[in-house]
Amino acid sequence: MTIRSVHEAALAALMEADPDAKCAAAQALQADWGAGRLRVVAAADLGEPLTHPGRPPRPLLVPPQEVPVRAAGRREGHAALLHAIAHIEFNAIDLALDCVYRFRSLPVDFHAGWVQVAAEEAQHFGLVRERLRALGFDYGDFSAHNGLWEMACRTAADALARMALVPRVLEARGLDATPPIMARLRAIGDAGSVAVLETILRDEVGHVALGDRWFRHLCAARGVDAETTYRQLVDDFGAPRPRPPLNVEARRAAGFSEAELARLGGAQD
């Protein structure tokens, strides 16, 4: 049996431009990892950002403020909402793959965790894309923004910053946003998409928790206080603050402390 580097296999999946091929490659990565056909090759982390991962020619990427907001009660607005979710999930595949490709100094457990996340994000993308297609649209039919990947590039040189600002900031915002989106979809009778988002929310708690675990691990290894460091990184990078209401239960399950939740405005009596 040929044993290959998990980092190079992750890069190959990362550079796949076709969405179906990328999803298949992410799931094959997990299968090969589970079968013992891939190994971690301990080395220094790669600091140079990968600015152009594999992407299809559409969607058109525009600044966040130029992404149109449409009412979910109309068919096109309904589809635009699902498209925005699909785009997040597509980017999340790349974010997980980049962790495996880039942060080679970290233990085997780190890579195992992000290999699994990549496969789960691929599944999520496929589920949302199915719902989008049921409305007569497809991924790429609406414009989108590149904020998630831009943060990946900004944190490419530091695993601690990546774990803080992608899972614990950007993906944690998804924990807050998903229940209101589910309520909007439920109100227009889209039970199928609500069921998909229930699956995504369950898995995303685990993804944020994985980031929390390695963020705290890296803080301990560097001898710095995790929660003070988190606040400093959010300020230093100008990362977005959460928008209320917070999903306190999900954030708590993902590793946020009571003190953090109180500072974020999500404390409950």
Side-chain angles (χ1 to χ4, degrees), residues 183-215:
R184 290 170 66 187
L185 292 170
R186 197 175 287 115
I188 61 174
D190 188 357
S193 295
V194 171
V196 167
L197 288 184
E198 286 173 346
T199 297
I200 291 175
L201 180 59
R202 180 199 66 211
D203 291 346
E204 293 298 339
V205 170
H207 300 174
V208 177
L210 182 67
D212 177 79
R213 172 192 170 189
W214 289 105
F215 170 69

Side-chain angles (χ1 to χ4, degrees), residues 61-232:
L61 298 179
V62 299
Q65 63 271 20
E66 294 182 18
V67 177
V69 178
R70 298 177 173 90
R74 296 184 177 183
R75 181 167 165 272
E76 188 177 65
H78 185 179
L81 177 60
L82 293 178
H83 188 276
I85 299 167
H87 184 64
I88 290 169
E89 299 304 322
F90 186 79
N91 274 270
I93 302 168
D94 285 346
L95 290 166
L97 292 170
D98 189 67
C99 286
V100 178
Y101 164 65
R102 177 171 307 282
F103 299 121
R104 305 182 181 201
S105 67
L106 288 167
V108 170
D109 281 357
F110 175 90
H111 298 93
W114 292 108
V115 164
Q116 179 177 335
V117 169
E120 289 176 353
E121 301 291 16
Q123 179 194 29
H124 296 169
F125 174 78
L127 291 171
V128 180
R129 193 180 190 189
E130 284 178 11
R131 300 302 304 161
L132 187 58
R133 285 171 163 170
L135 292 174
F137 295 85
D138 202 355
Y139 182 58
D141 286 349
F142 299 88
S143 59
H145 69 79
N146 201 32
L148 279 170
W149 192 253
E150 287 170 358
M151 184 62 82
C153 291
R154 293 175 66 196
T155 57
D158 186 359
L160 189 153
R162 172 70 64 85
M163 294 298 104
L165 298 172
V166 175
R168 290 188 105 249
V169 172
L170 299 182
E171 294 186 75
R173 292 178 80 200
L175 302 182
D176 304 328
T178 299
I181 292 172
M182 290 168 65
R184 290 170 66 187
L185 292 170
R186 197 175 287 115
I188 61 174
D190 188 357
S193 295
V194 171
V196 167
L197 288 184
E198 286 173 346
T199 297
I200 291 175
L201 180 59
R202 180 199 66 211
D203 291 346
E204 293 298 339
V205 170
H207 300 174
V208 177
L210 182 67
D212 177 79
R213 172 192 170 189
W214 289 105
F215 170 69
R216 294 182 186 278
H217 169 90
L218 289 162
C219 285
R222 298 183 194 184
V224 298
D225 178 73
E227 294 179 15
T228 302
T229 301
Y230 180 68
R231 295 195 300 274
Q232 188 62 54

